[in-house]
Amino acid sequence: MLTLQFNLSREEFLEYNYYTSWSSPDRRSYRFRYFMRVLALYGLIAAGYVYINRNRHELLVDVFVFSAIGLIYALIVPVLVKRSIKSRVNAMLKEAENQHILQTSEITLNDQGIIDKDSASESRYNWEAIVKKVETKDCYYLYTSSYHAILIPMRALSTPEELKELKRLLDQHLPLASELL
């Protein structure tokens, strides 16, 4: 049995939301479709501008300018998305019903499952409820659905023995498929 107590930080919660909403491998097709829609709209606008001004401008200059602007936009999209998610997370955390998210949490993992407790709730999960496990440099995300996970910060593991026990429990009870989804 392993019991961990910690306060989730705002940054850890933001990183979880950014990962889940945008940067996870599962979201690759979403990111691709997003960029294709923006590229198509941008291409139509650029083509319209070039067509309307076909006699007033040098075509290569217009193509270069639109390409440069498109490249810059593509490079800053992840920054813009992260800012947007950060704004939503901050707004959510300001609401009274969400205050417990950053307060002290206690997670107990044993061979029967996981108990996740905080000041507002207590949830029990059988190991079968975990559909995906993700390990980042700062946290473990144990997903119970495509958008909800139990977050375990690495810093909550204060000894090598706790890390070893966590890995044992995860390896023993979570199928390999939970890491590959």
Side-chain angles (χ1 to χ4, degrees), residues 110-116 123-134 141-150 170 173-175 177-178 181:
N110 58 39
D111 288 320
Q112 286 70 46
I114 301 168
I115 300 170
D116 184 5
S123 300
R124 297 175 188 273
Y125 302 95
N126 294 328
W127 285 106
E128 294 79 24
I130 308 302
V131 296
K132 182 172 70 167
K133 173 185 83 173
V134 172
Y141 305 148
L142 305 177
Y143 285 88
T144 59
S145 70
S146 56
Y147 281 96
H148 176 265
I150 301 165
L170 296 178
H173 295 288
L174 296 180
S178 69
L181 296 176

Side-chain angles (χ1 to χ4, degrees), residues 99-111:
Q99 293 298 306
H100 66 96
I101 293 172
L102 300 184
Q103 293 175 353
T104 301
S105 295
E106 181 179 283
I107 295 181
T108 302
L109 301 98
N110 58 39
D111 288 320

Side-chain angles (χ1 to χ4, degrees), residues 3-6 12 138 152-159 162:
T3 300
L4 304 169
Q5 281 193 338
F6 57 89
E12 289 163 339
D138 295 322
I152 303 175
M154 297 291 189
R155 63 181 170 72
L157 303 159
S158 55
T159 66
E162 287 181 342

Side-chain angles (χ1 to χ4, degrees), residues 60-77:
L60 285 177
V61 171
D62 287 344
V63 169
F64 176 77
V65 169
F66 278 106
S67 297
I69 292 169
L71 179 62
I72 291 168
Y73 178 75
L75 293 173
I76 65 170
V77 162

Side-chain angles (χ1 to χ4, degrees), residues 16-172:
Y16 157 71
N17 279 279
Y18 180 70
Y19 181 86
T20 302
S21 299
W22 181 259
S23 69
S24 77
D26 300 15
R27 304 294 287 167
R28 177 175 289 180
S29 65
Y30 170 78
R31 288 189 305 271
F32 180 76
R33 287 189 318 271
Y34 174 86
F35 278 114
M36 289 299 105
R37 284 191 310 263
V38 169
L39 181 63
L41 179 61
Y42 186 70
L44 286 172
I45 292 168
Y49 176 84
V50 168
Y51 179 76
I52 289 169
N53 294 296
R54 64 186 173 279
N55 296 328
R56 295 183 221 147
H57 292 228
E58 185 67 36
L59 178 63
L60 285 177
V61 171
D62 287 344
V63 169
F64 176 77
V65 169
F66 278 106
S67 297
I69 292 169
L71 179 62
I72 291 168
Y73 178 75
L75 293 173
I76 65 170
V77 162
V79 174
L80 297 174
V81 167
K82 194 163 200 168
R83 273 183 48 193
S84 173
I85 292 170
K86 184 177 183 176
S87 293
R88 287 194 314 251
V89 165
N90 286 335
M92 183 179 73
L93 291 174
K94 285 180 183 175
E95 296 175 15
E97 66 266 21
N98 296 322
Q99 293 298 306
H100 66 96
I101 293 172
L102 300 184
Q103 293 175 353
T104 301
S105 295
E106 181 179 283
I107 295 181
T108 302
L109 301 98
N110 58 39
D111 288 320
Q112 286 70 46
I114 301 168
I115 300 170
D116 184 5
K117 272 195 277 192
D118 62 31
S119 63
S121 65
E122 179 175 331
S123 300
R124 297 175 188 273
Y125 302 95
N126 294 328
W127 285 106
E128 294 79 24
I130 308 302
V131 296
K132 182 172 70 167
K133 173 185 83 173
V134 172
E135 182 180 349
T136 69
K137 68 179 180 61
D138 295 322
C139 281
Y140 281 98
Y141 305 148
L142 305 177
Y143 285 88
T144 59
S145 70
S146 56
Y147 281 96
H148 176 265
I150 301 165
L151 279 64
I152 303 175
M154 297 291 189
R155 63 181 170 72
L157 303 159
S158 55
T159 66
E161 291 77 24
E162 287 181 342
L163 178 60
K164 185 177 178 183
E165 178 63 4
L166 176 64
K167 287 187 180 219
R168 181 194 72 77
L169 286 164
L170 296 178
D171 290 345
Q172 181 177 344

